[in-house]
Amino acid sequence: MKHRIGRVEGEILRELTKILRKDIRDPRLNDVTITAVECTNDLSYATVYYSMLTDDPAKEKEVAEGLDKAKGMMRHLLGQTLTVYKVPELIFKRDTSVAYGSKIDKLINQVKKQDQERENKINK
């Protein structure tokens, strides 16, 4: 059963990415990338994780509204290509792991820079 759910999740991820790029014309969703999909065991709900290029809270709200508005059309188009009896209800959640990774990367670079400055002072 887990193997089937994984296949369906992968299929939903692929198809939603295509739908988002090809069929959805909402300018609020131009910078959105779907990163993962998790389905419930009975495939009635699919949590779709997405990331954005910006950290602007106002833009984040616009994207959430755009995804909510496009949800019905995305589900309809998904139903035309999915090989399941019932198309899962889509739930969109922001994937913050990309932003978190970027923040950690900045902090590491900052520490490296401080270490380099200390080493330069010691060597002088």
Side-chain angles (χ1 to χ4, degrees), residues 8 11-12 15 77-88:
V8 171
E11 199 174 337
I12 291 172
E15 292 304 322
L77 293 170
L78 196 58
Q80 295 176 348
T81 58
L82 268 188
T83 56
V84 292
Y85 175 70
K86 184 179 178 221
V87 179

Side-chain angles (χ1 to χ4, degrees), residues 83-99:
T83 56
V84 292
Y85 175 70
K86 184 179 178 221
V87 179
E89 187 70 38
L90 302 176
I91 302 166
F92 291 97
K93 288 190 178 180
R94 172 102 192 264
D95 183 357
T96 56
S97 63
V98 175

Side-chain angles (χ1 to χ4, degrees), residues 88-118:
E89 187 70 38
L90 302 176
I91 302 166
F92 291 97
K93 288 190 178 180
R94 172 102 192 264
D95 183 357
T96 56
S97 63
V98 175
Y100 182 74
S102 177
K103 181 180 176 182
I104 295 297
D105 197 38
K106 285 179 187 176
L107 288 172
I108 289 172
N109 287 335
Q110 189 178 15
V111 168
K112 283 182 181 178
K113 184 179 176 185
Q114 289 172 350
D115 284 350
Q116 188 70 36
E117 289 172 358
R118 270 194 220 114

Side-chain angles (χ1 to χ4, degrees), residues 6-72:
R7 276 196 342 255
V8 171
E9 289 171 345
E11 199 174 337
I12 291 172
L13 177 66
R14 264 190 314 280
E15 292 304 322
L16 281 181
T17 300
K18 285 181 197 173
I19 290 168
L20 192 60
R21 295 291 154 242
K22 192 175 80 175
D23 300 312
I24 305 297
R25 305 252 185 262
D26 193 332
R28 297 176 288 192
L29 304 180
N30 286 344
D31 296 336
V32 173
T33 303
I34 296 175
T35 57
V37 175
E38 290 180 357
C39 291
T40 56
N41 288 338
D42 62 356
L43 297 175
S44 60
Y45 293 95
T47 304
V48 180
Y49 294 93
Y50 66 93
S51 65
M52 307 174 352
L53 295 176
T54 181
D55 285 332
D56 183 17
K59 177 78 173 160
E60 185 176 338
K61 187 176 182 209
E62 283 180 21
V63 167
E65 289 170 356
L67 285 170
D68 196 47
K69 187 174 181 199
K71 185 188 300 191

